Amino acid sequence: MPENPLKFYIIAGEASGDLHASNLIKAIKRQEGNSEFRVWGGDLMEAAGATVVKHYRDLAFMGFVEVVQNLNTILGNIKFCKKDILQYQPDILILVDYPGFNLRIAKWAKKQGIKVCYYISPQIWAWNSKRVHKIKRDIDRMLVILPFEKAFYAKYGMTVDFVGHPLLDVIPEHPPKAKLYETFGLRPDRVIALLPGSRRQEIKTMLPIMLEAAKQFPEYDFAIAGAPSIPEEVYLRHFSANDSDQRIKIIPNRTYDLLQIASAALVTSGTATLETGLFGVPQVVCYKGSPISYRIARWVVNVNYISLVNLILDRPLLTELIQGDCTPDRLCEELQNILQYPQKQLKGYAELRERLGSSGASDKAAEVILRVCLNFYD
């Protein structure tokens, strides 16, 4: 055991990264109590005992156009990050997803002689497989969470550690359904969850479409899964004055409790599709971006699906409504379908769990990272 505390610098730029990094911090502490953490992240990482330098809510830029518009801010953050890392002198740098930023930092850190572990691989298999050569050069150890990623990296002669998916560890026991219905003021077995994304840009685009579709289902209550750090007024500004909006509630920072009682869900593409699947909730996946960003994405993305569920199963279990297909009428049609015939998706979810492997991703990741930190790997 080292005499001085092991110093970890972690960079997570999104809400999901904050969640998984917070559990990683806890796992490292269980295995190595003499440790300290300086991080870019959020409230969950802070609650786990880390000092937060930058909050992820100030870092979330999505889409090609949006990145260009905020380029000066992004470059300023990179400059500040490098200076802060040098001042902190960590024993190891842990990068959590967030590739546009983190891969730049990895290249720089490697030149500084700083050990670098990457937890939750960038989805380079989806849009830029050539980046694997840079990862091989700049990363001391890559930890992957999707079963097909290990084979992907093996094609390029790179050994990675498959630790399982951390979501299997963060879907804990929840209050009884009856209590949740009462707490949220929702009718039993009549709840449809709306997950419009965790960024303001996503919410601005996706929520109006979802709310328009909701008007066609008066027999159901609709509940919006409010994302961490997004104020309620961001959602309310998209409500109309119609009485139908009285059936729509905003439930902040309780997504998993909401999914436990949902009969179905409308989900913006992202990690939320996998979370919804692991809760066994039939869902319609949707995505709509700016026309320019979408055209660029179609040009560079080389996967058949946008949802993690379909990618992991390698078949279209979930309907994906993208760009022009993402309309209130199509959402209504597909939502009606999964409400009437949920069995196909539910059967697929059972296979999904099998493919993701066992739980314990955070503990496995912590073990690998500590081995790198203490020079137990070559």
Side-chain angles (χ1 to χ4, degrees):
M1 182 177 293
E3 294 181 3
N4 297 319
L6 289 177
K7 299 170 69 175
F8 299 86
Y9 199 105
I10 305 178
I11 303 175
E14 298 173 308
S16 60
D18 180 40
L19 171 63
H20 300 318
S22 71
N23 286 321
L24 177 63
I25 290 170
K26 295 172 188 175
I28 291 174
K29 284 184 171 182
R30 286 194 294 268
Q31 297 180 36
E32 176 51 68
N34 194 19
S35 55
E36 60 181 46
F37 301 84
R38 187 170 178 85
V39 307
W40 292 43
D43 300 341
L44 295 177
M45 294 171 76
E46 185 173 43
T51 299
V52 177
V53 182
K54 284 271 189 179
H55 200 286
Y56 68 78
R57 63 172 166 257
D58 300 321
L59 307 173
F61 305 108
M62 61 171 291
F64 299 96
V65 175
E66 293 78 10
V67 168
V68 171
Q69 291 174 338
N70 293 278
L71 190 57
N72 287 337
T73 299
I74 294 169
L75 293 176
N77 284 337
I78 290 173
K79 182 178 180 180
F80 171 79
C81 184
K82 292 176 180 178
K83 181 179 179 181
D84 196 56
I85 291 172
L86 286 178
Q87 289 178 342
Y88 185 61
Q89 289 293 299
D91 292 290
I92 193 165
L93 172 65
I94 304 171
L95 307 174
V96 183
D97 201 2
Y98 196 46
F101 187 93
N102 276 339
L103 289 178
R104 287 173 176 263
I105 295 298
K107 180 181 179 180
W108 167 84
K110 188 69 173 180
K111 292 178 180 178
Q112 307 302 314
I114 299 170
K115 296 175 187 174
V116 182
C117 276
Y118 212 119
Y119 179 45
I120 306 179
S121 168
Q123 295 178 357
I124 56 172
W125 36 266
W127 57 277
N128 193 350
S129 59
K130 292 182 180 179
R131 279 191 167 185
V132 71
H133 303 293
K134 296 179 180 180
I135 288 174
K136 190 174 182 179
R137 179 193 67 201
D138 299 332
I139 305 299
D140 292 290
R141 206 76 184 179
M142 172 64 74
L143 288 71
V144 303
I145 64 173
L146 298 174
F148 58 80
E149 290 178 320
K150 190 165 187 175
F152 167 81
Y153 280 104
K155 290 191 302 183
Y156 296 91
M158 186 174 176
T159 300
V160 301
D161 297 272
F162 173 58
V163 297
H165 205 290
L167 281 179
L168 295 175
D169 298 333
V170 297
I171 298 181
E173 293 294 325
H174 290 262
K177 285 189 176 184
K179 183 177 180 180
L180 289 173
Y181 287 127
E182 181 181 352
T183 299
F184 297 149
L186 299 168
R187 291 177 288 178
D189 302 318
R190 289 289 167 184
V191 178
I192 295 175
L194 303 180
L195 283 70
S198 60
R199 303 179 180 93
R200 291 172 184 253
Q201 295 161 239
E202 291 176 319
I203 296 166
K204 180 180 179 180
T205 302
M206 299 307 307
L207 186 56
I209 301 171
M210 293 178 175
L211 293 176
E212 187 65 29
K215 295 176 182 178
Q216 304 304 316
F217 295 84
E219 69 275 26
Y220 283 92
D221 292 336
F222 285 78
I224 299 169
S229 78
I230 300 293
E232 187 176 79
E233 57 264 25
V234 173
Y235 300 98
L236 288 174
R237 69 178 57 143
H238 300 293
F239 281 36
S240 70
N242 296 341
D243 291 338
S244 62
D245 287 342
Q246 299 304 312
R247 298 182 298 106
I248 301 171
K249 296 184 180 294
I250 303 168
I251 300 177
N253 209 21
R254 298 283 296 273
T255 299
Y256 289 174
D257 285 341
L258 174 57
L259 287 175
Q260 190 186 2
I261 61 173
S263 298
L266 304 180
V267 186
T268 298
S269 176
T271 304
T273 63
L274 184 55
E275 293 171 316
T276 303
L278 291 176
F279 270 94
V281 179
Q283 62 181 301
V284 182
V285 179
C286 44
Y287 174 80
K288 197 168 189 175
S290 73
I292 295 176
S293 292
Y294 177 67
R295 288 193 188 98
I296 296 173
R298 285 199 63 181
W299 181 48
V300 300
V301 170
N302 55 18
V303 292
N304 295 324
Y305 311 108
I306 64 170
S307 71
L308 283 174
V309 173
N310 288 349
L311 282 167
I312 293 168
L313 294 176
D314 196 25
R315 68 174 190 273
L317 177 69
L318 310 180
T319 297
E320 299 178 347
L321 301 179
I322 307 171
Q323 210 66 6
D325 289 330
C326 186
T327 65
D329 287 343
R330 288 287 282 121
L331 277 181
C332 287
E333 178 184 342
E334 296 300 332
L335 179 55
Q336 186 64 50
N337 185 46
I338 61 172
L339 286 169
Q340 288 184 329
Y341 308 104
Q343 294 81 8
K344 179 183 176 182
Q345 287 195 14
L346 296 179
K347 184 177 179 181
Y349 288 158
E351 182 184 347
L352 175 71
R353 280 185 167 273
E354 290 180 10
R355 294 203 180 191
L356 287 175
S358 60
S359 59
S362 299
D363 287 319
K364 294 171 189 173
E367 181 180 352
V368 172
I369 289 168
L370 284 169
R371 289 178 70 87
V372 174
C373 195
L374 299 172
N375 295 314
F376 289 167
Y377 282 117
D378 294 331

